Amino acid sequence: MPASDQLNTENLVQQNWLHHWQPLWQQMQHDKMLNQRGQVLHYSCFRLPNATTAIVISAGRIEMAVKYSAVIFELVQAGYSVYILDHLGQGASARELSNPHKGHICTFDHYSDDWQFFMQQVVIPSQHQRYLALCHSMGSAIFANYLLRYPEHPFAAAVLCSPMLGIYSGPLPFKAAMPVVRALRWLNRLLSSQSWYLPGQGNYRPDPFPANRLTSCPQQYQWLLSLYQAEPTLQLGGVTLDWLLAADQVMQRLATAGHSIELPLLVLQAGADRVVNNKAQQQFVAQRPELRELKVLAGAKHELLLEQASIREQTMHSILQFFARYRAMQE
């Protein structure tokens, strides 16, 4: 990209943040609640007057609600109310370990139970006629697990962006590493009361742009880093051994029981993803082809909603077009 185009893109991202995304973010309701285990969960929402449909966002790993300010702006402009929960251990929600940088959970059921509690305490009392879900990466696994645990849910449809249904591991099969991870966790529990990082991972340290696996857009990447720099308490580092084992457990559950999910789903796949396993997404769609659609964004990295303009526009167009089907069904 020519330097002048890069400058224009950077200016556009910053201008949108200053003049559109941030003002709406500041108008939103930001609150917290205690989950059923007594832990603080932070959430944000925008109740659009006269909106009949609410979209609930399930964010990915390391993410916080403000990262979705651009998406929220576009959803509100399209006529939706929007709700988003900071998952336990992320954003402004409580951390489970003394080191706040560790991405940790013992079971994904905790995430999914928190989602159910959020729905019951905050979202459903808003009394919208219809509820849709927009999920990214780990948030897709959380939501799909929620659908299995709570089949009487209120959702009419959902979009899964780069869903974490398997983890990309390069030439080494992911399953081949799991016996080593289990042995390390056994040693961890023997020697320490604190969950260890997965080897090679540590506290928050942003990758330089050329090494990042999230987006091919330097301006969007810089904007994301600026959010973490402005609010260091939102920073999150690598995952613990327990998190990876919990992730493996929920991904296996979705591989074997995911066919029982009775919900229309649009799966948006990043063609050049090096974070999650795209083959697992294809297998998940194939479980129920009459209910699930797969759309591949060629050349896209993992963060479809933070990608370069052409890819991001395709992503948002697909999301809004899919959601419009289900809003139209009720109106």
Side-chain angles (χ1 to χ4, degrees), residues 137-251:
S137 195
M138 181 187 82
S140 300
I142 291 170
F143 179 72
N145 189 51
Y146 156 84
L147 296 176
L148 290 177
R149 290 177 65 76
Y150 300 98
E152 301 302 317
H153 61 81
F155 287 94
V159 177
L160 312 182
C161 295
S162 306
M164 190 193 79
L165 302 169
I167 294 176
Y168 178 82
S169 58
L172 176 70
F174 179 77
K175 289 183 179 179
M178 296 315 294
V180 177
V181 174
R182 292 188 185 94
L184 285 172
R185 187 181 62 166
W186 176 85
L187 185 63
N188 178 179
R189 289 181 171 179
L190 184 67
L191 299 177
S192 174
S193 61
Q194 290 289 307
S195 184
W196 291 347
Y197 274 123
L198 186 70
Q201 305 209 12
N203 290 352
Y204 174 79
R205 185 181 62 189
D207 289 326
F209 176 75
N212 99 89
R213 297 181 296 164
L214 302 179
T215 175
S216 61
C217 180
Q219 294 76 28
Q220 290 279 12
Y221 188 66
Q222 185 54 49
W223 176 73
L224 175 62
L225 297 189
S226 73
L227 297 179
Y228 287 117
Q229 291 164 0
E231 293 289 343
T233 58
L234 301 176
Q235 295 173 3
L236 193 65
V239 301
T240 65
L241 296 166
D242 285 295
W243 183 94
L244 188 60
L245 290 170
D248 181 53
Q249 180 185 55
V250 79
M251 291 185 298

